Amino acid sequence: MKKQARLLFVLIGVAVCVFFVLPFVSLVYGTLYTDWLWFDSLGYLSVYRTRIFAEAGLFAVGGVLAAGFILLNWLLIPSRLTRRLEVVLRPYRKTVALDSKGLTLVLIAAALFLALPMALLAASHAMDVLVASHAAPFGLQDPIFGLDVGFYIFKLPFYNTLVGWLIGLVITAGIGTGLLYLMSGALGQRGPVAHLSILGALFLLLLAVNYQLQRLSLLDSARGVVFGAGYTDVHARLPMLHVLTAISVVGAVILLANIAARRWRLLIGAVAVWLVAVLVSSAYPAIVQRFVVNPNELANEWPYIEHNIAFTRYAFGLNDVYESDFSAEGTLDQAVLDENAATIANIRLWDWRPLQTTYEQLQEIRLYYTFVDVDVDRYVIDGQIREVTLAARELDVDQLPGQAQTWVNRHLIYTHGYGVCLSPVSEVNPEGLPNFLVRDIPPQSSAAGLDITRPEIYFGEETDNYIIVGTAEQELDRPSGDANVYTQYEGPDGVRMGGFFRRLAFTLRFGDQQILFSGSIDPQSRILFYRDVAERVAALAPMFWYDPDPYIVIADGRLVWLYDAYTTSERFPYSEPFGSGAGDINYVRNSVKVAIDAYTGETTFYVVDPSDPVMLTYQAIFPDLFAPASEMDPSLREHWRYPEQLFRLQAEAYAAYHMDDPQVFYNKEDLWAVPTEMLGSEEEPMAPYYVVMRLPGEDEVEFIMIRPYVPSGRHNMIAWLYADSDGADYGQLGVFKFSKEGLLYGPMQVEARFDQDPYISQQLSLWNQRGSQVYRGNLIVIPIDDTILYVEPLYLQAQSGGLPELKRVLLAYGNHVVMAEDLSTALAQVLGVPAAVEPLPGEEPIVTDVAELARSAQAHYDAAQLCLIQGDWACYGSEMEAMAADLETLIQVTEPPTEAEP
């Protein structure tokens, strides 16, 4: 080989090292090695080994197969042909001519280069291989082919990937081989024709297999009246896929026969017949759809609509929804309120949005603390279940002043947040602010069971930077007056820094040279990363879809994050897809709840639905990752919440799939929709909400999630869906349906009634004109026995900023709408009697406000006049009766006591 050629290969080698080898070494050493250490520190090394070995094995197998197949085809070309090829390159203005041996080396290099992306593609589907090899059956067969649903979820994606990968490999090798023959001028000779015929036959055979896989994928068709294979798919597309399969096989046979005949006409003829079949396969289903299906669509699609309804309800867990009627014809009186005192005491008056602002201004304490989110939960306080809001006080180092933004401060000293604040959802102090049961630094608790003995938060929603503990620097524990208290982390989490090479690895990972050179770090120091709980769980188990709202729990003095994880699929046969944070999915189960200790970082995946086949498959792949739910601490089990994201998906699906009659479903005769409400000053879809209430027909109050429904295109309420979060009933869905013969106000209609009330609208206008901003909180629809209450809090906040204060409560019941300073007074006004209801916990005993009664009477009189103008006599009579009740109450309150006769 000439000197110039050797120089060329040296330069190529250097380029490969710079652009491929060094980045690969940096990736392996800086990322894979440090991840290995991290998994090992948590006791989950077997999980990481399974994933890494699967990816590495597929990378090696894919690379060897790809390189071997490509080289086999290229090196089979006779050397007498490649001698005719001369590649002339001119680096550095020098001419380098490659001989046959040089060309062979170039081909080897090109094959290895092309094999690299094929190997990477194979490695990226390692999870598909693991899932397919550990698949658990569903015990449910599809109605067309009779295969277990697990085949479509676990195995079909792997088969599609494998066949697609092989087709890509054959095309790559075929194109390269054809170009070599073309460049050598031997394309028309018998040998090249035979060689390309073999490659063409292999391509057609793989194409035949692909058509058969497409046949199975028809169950994911979105072309019909419902999701899944419809009449046209089964009676037109399915036969055409068989025809295309047969043509592909026949074409492969013809090409194999062409090895002997070695004629280009046979190659061209096979391709032409295949192209005609492809065109026919596109036109024929359209003809069937137009002339057979459309004229009698319902009758033709009836069985497929039945399949879609049945499989969608199964896939979203809607088969066991309790359905009950709710007449809403009961009467709200004092006896009903007394019987449902626990429900009344837990009506949520604090919307999390203004409450988060209030928490931030009252409880952040220092500028580097923040409240990322406000969560809703329940605790047993003084023997009663109470709905509360709470928020974790996390550290945000980005909020440190500019001069304090040093590496030592960000990674060695400011390491953790501190404590939580907690307040009942229904309690308000005289200033219109929340009544804190847990507050301040260090945490001060005014209720038994809410004491916090380990308030440090090293792992949270905002802790997204790495820290190093056990260094020469003291960590800031908490502020104390004008001074600070310092500490050292005593938890088990973290990877020991060790010697130079480990520190080098972490330097490469985080791109921070201070890790390598800082004198504050010693071999026993430990580095904590993956501290963001969302990043942490995704690193450990990326196959799950995680709820966007982890929530913190006070459990035996510790702070623990609970995180809901979902198993999902987009390949469940005949199941309608619905949008989510994971994309469009058509199967979901909340099979795992993850507990992350905010101090130690201990992360445990508890299996709460062991019957889920997807969960069983993951357990078979990663047996050391999961623990049974029975091992969860009871103090955590008491705080399970039915996850909001799952409930949203199920509620969206149930809005259509409560209809189980194909004809009713096809015509969308009873389609439901999510109502809207006024939030702030904007109309927005009504979010589901947690409440503590006693379900109709039940004896005990429970923590449940609710979402009302309205008929599609209308505003009156038609039903409400709930999900239970407590005890043995956890996860039970139920729906209460209202009578279709009557009218029950929907949320937006109630909002309109509030706006139309003369007194309420006047007050809102006055407040907005006086330098204040009125914020309307969530409208809460509360079923109580056989009646419905609507409650909406009003907050006032100075336009120039300031604390949002709860100033009024809007309440609607039947034809009554009232506005009062608190819930008890509003209930009294609705009932038309003095405020005789029991005061809410934490409130002072309420005395009826004379001014409020007078304003209420005036408001009812104005409303009655409006009803009179509109000719609504029922409304007029109702408002006049309400006014009379207010006046009678006013007389009772203001009438002086009668003196006793002597």
Side-chain angles (χ1 to χ4, degrees), residues 218 232-245 284:
L218 287 175
T232 301
D233 292 313
V234 174
H235 293 87
R237 291 189 177 89
L238 182 58
M240 287 309 303
L241 287 172
H242 285 307
V243 170
L244 288 171
T245 301
Y284 178 62

Side-chain angles (χ1 to χ4, degrees), residues 58-59 62-63 66-67 70 113-123 164-170 172:
L58 283 175
F59 180 87
I70 293 172
F113 178 79
L114 292 173
L116 179 61
M118 299 293 291
L120 291 172
L121 180 62
W165 189 86
L166 291 174
I167 289 176
L169 179 59
V170 171
T172 301

Side-chain angles (χ1 to χ4, degrees), residues 467-794:
I467 61 171
I468 303 174
V469 299
T471 68
E473 302 288 343
Q474 289 287 306
E475 302 172 47
L476 171 69
D477 189 34
R478 57 181 173 85
S480 179
D482 294 332
N484 291 325
V485 176
Y486 292 88
T487 188
Q488 286 281 2
Y489 179 67
E490 299 174 352
D493 195 77
V495 177
R496 192 170 59 84
M497 294 299 298
F500 172 81
F501 290 104
R502 277 201 183 185
R503 292 175 69 167
L504 176 62
F506 286 112
T507 298
L508 291 173
R509 180 188 182 98
F510 296 108
D512 198 334
Q513 62 183 6
Q514 294 286 354
I515 297 175
L516 189 62
F517 298 114
S518 173
S520 298
I521 303 172
D522 62 43
Q524 299 306 315
S525 300
R526 284 174 290 153
I527 184 168
L528 280 64
F529 54 105
Y530 287 130
R531 296 197 304 135
D532 182 300
V533 291
E535 186 183 16
R536 191 176 187 85
V537 295
L540 286 168
M543 61 278 191
F544 294 117
W545 169 44
Y546 293 95
D547 194 273
D549 185 26
Y551 58 101
I552 201 160
V553 171
I554 302 173
D556 297 329
R558 298 175 298 124
L559 296 178
V560 180
W561 295 96
L562 285 183
Y563 216 152
D564 287 288
Y566 307 110
T567 56
T568 63
S569 176
E570 65 281 353
R571 290 186 170 273
F572 200 93
Y574 273 109
S575 176
E576 188 74 27
F578 289 91
S580 70
D584 286 343
I585 59 174
N586 63 359
Y587 175 86
V588 63
R589 290 291 186 272
N590 176 214
S591 296
V592 172
K593 290 188 181 291
V594 191
I596 307 107
D597 191 291
Y599 182 74
T600 66
E602 180 183 2
T603 305
T604 308
F605 291 76
Y606 293 101
V607 178
V608 298
D609 186 0
S611 64
D612 174 23
V614 181
M615 187 67 250
L616 292 173
T617 300
Y618 291 151
Q619 282 184 283
I621 299 170
F622 307 110
D624 297 331
L625 180 60
F626 303 102
S630 58
E631 294 183 5
M632 179 180 279
D633 192 304
S635 61
L636 292 177
R637 174 62 183 84
E638 294 170 358
H639 293 279
W640 284 9
R641 301 188 319 185
Y642 198 82
E644 179 180 339
Q645 195 65 29
L646 174 62
F647 187 76
R648 284 176 179 268
L649 278 172
Q650 291 176 313
E652 184 181 358
Y654 196 72
Y657 286 89
H658 69 278
M659 299 179 285
D660 53 11
D661 180 89
Q663 182 169 353
V664 174
F665 184 91
Y666 174 81
N667 292 316
K668 301 293 186 285
E669 297 175 18
D670 193 21
L671 183 63
W672 297 346
V674 174
T676 56
E677 64 171 334
M678 294 302 298
L679 195 59
S681 59
E682 302 293 331
E683 182 177 348
E684 294 186 7
M686 193 172 189
Y689 50 90
Y690 293 104
V691 294
V692 170
M693 63 171 286
R694 182 171 62 84
L695 288 169
E698 299 293 333
D699 297 326
E700 302 293 333
V701 294
E702 297 177 290
F703 187 63
I704 64 175
M705 175 166 272
I706 285 181
R707 166 170 266 176
Y709 285 116
V710 296
S712 180
R714 298 172 61 189
H715 293 293
N716 60 290
M717 198 154 58
I718 192 67
W720 56 279
L721 183 72
Y722 72 87
D724 203 325
S725 294
D726 283 334
D729 292 332
Y730 175 84
Q732 179 61 57
L733 295 177
V735 63
F736 284 89
K737 298 180 179 180
F738 302 119
S739 172
K740 297 178 182 178
E741 299 176 357
L743 174 66
L744 190 69
Y745 292 121
M748 205 58 205
Q749 291 173 320
V750 172
E751 297 275 21
R753 294 184 66 211
F754 287 148
D755 291 335
Q756 292 167 4
D757 182 89
Y759 172 59
I760 295 175
S761 62
Q762 180 186 35
Q763 289 300 311
L764 294 179
S765 298
L766 288 174
W767 282 325
N768 280 319
Q769 292 172 6
R770 293 176 178 174
S772 298
Q773 181 179 1
V774 177
Y775 184 91
R776 299 174 71 155
N778 283 122
L779 177 67
I780 306 295
V781 181
I782 305 167
I784 298 180
D785 278 2
D786 206 16
T787 64
I788 295 289
L789 276 182
Y790 307 83
V791 179
E792 180 174 289
L794 290 182

Side-chain angles (χ1 to χ4, degrees), residues 822-836:
D822 50 62
L823 181 59
S824 296
T825 305
L827 287 169
Q829 291 182 17
V830 163
L831 295 180
V833 298

